[in-house]
Amino acid sequence: MGKNLDKNNRPDLRVSNDEREAVVTTLGLAMSEGRLTLVEYEQRLDAVWASTTRGDLDEVVRDLPAPEKSTATDVARTTSEWREYLDEWRWWLGGAVVMNGIWAVQWISDGEPNNYWPLWPLGIWGVILIAMAFMPEDKHDD
């Protein structure tokens, strides 16, 4: 956070959730580097979420080195990518519910079980999602 006392970064200004999230990321990196124990990490997390001013947040990380910008960005990007990947599986699950519902209504109306056709679209979709986990995405920072 820093102790900059300019007009826009005074320690008495109230903090936003985004600022708290940035400090949580810093704490997570510090714990992964062995700078904090699990107990210290949890205590500091409680302090972060209880903080109301930037000065409170500064106090939580005062004895920790500032994280490298690229490391913090990489952690945030990786978290975002996994969240997007899990969202894809959520869409797959929604599609599975709809397709199985249609198949069940078809089965009930015909009075006998039909071919289980949802296997094909769900199977292909699932294979694509699994492949996405193992194949790197081409990223260009244009």
Side-chain angles (χ1 to χ4, degrees):
M1 292 291 307
K3 301 276 184 196
N4 190 356
L5 298 177
D6 69 26
K7 180 179 173 184
N8 296 319
N9 198 17
R10 298 184 328 232
D12 62 330
L13 290 179
R14 296 187 67 84
V15 294
S16 68
N17 284 338
D18 289 340
E19 291 171 300
R20 288 184 187 102
E21 287 288 342
V23 173
V24 167
T25 300
T26 301
L27 292 175
L29 290 171
M31 188 180 78
S32 70
E33 294 170 346
R35 297 179 193 276
L36 296 175
T37 65
L38 182 59
V39 173
E40 290 173 316
Y41 174 73
E42 289 175 351
Q43 290 170 344
R44 290 182 188 218
L45 278 182
D46 291 340
V48 166
W49 293 113
S51 66
T52 56
T53 65
R54 290 180 176 172
D56 295 339
L57 288 181
D58 284 341
E59 198 57 36
V60 173
V61 294
R62 70 175 156 56
D63 61 339
L64 298 174
E68 294 178 20
K69 182 70 174 165
S70 62
T71 305
T73 304
D74 290 345
V75 168
R77 183 179 299 132
T78 302
T79 302
S80 174
E81 288 172 359
W82 276 106
R83 187 169 293 145
E84 288 176 16
Y85 180 69
L86 293 176
D87 282 345
E88 291 292 334
W89 278 104
R90 188 180 54 126
W91 283 106
W92 179 90
L93 183 60
V97 168
V98 169
M99 286 184 236
N100 280 301
I102 293 169
W103 178 78
V105 168
Q106 213 174 22
W107 177 14
I108 291 169
S109 68
D110 290 349
E112 62 184 52
N114 299 328
N115 270 350
Y116 183 68
W117 59 265
L119 176 67
W120 292 104
L122 292 175
I124 293 168
W125 194 358
V127 167
I128 292 169
L129 289 176
I130 291 169
M132 285 173 57
F134 296 105
M135 298 183 73
E137 189 174 322
D138 186 23
K139 296 184 185 205
H140 296 285
D141 294 335
D142 295 328

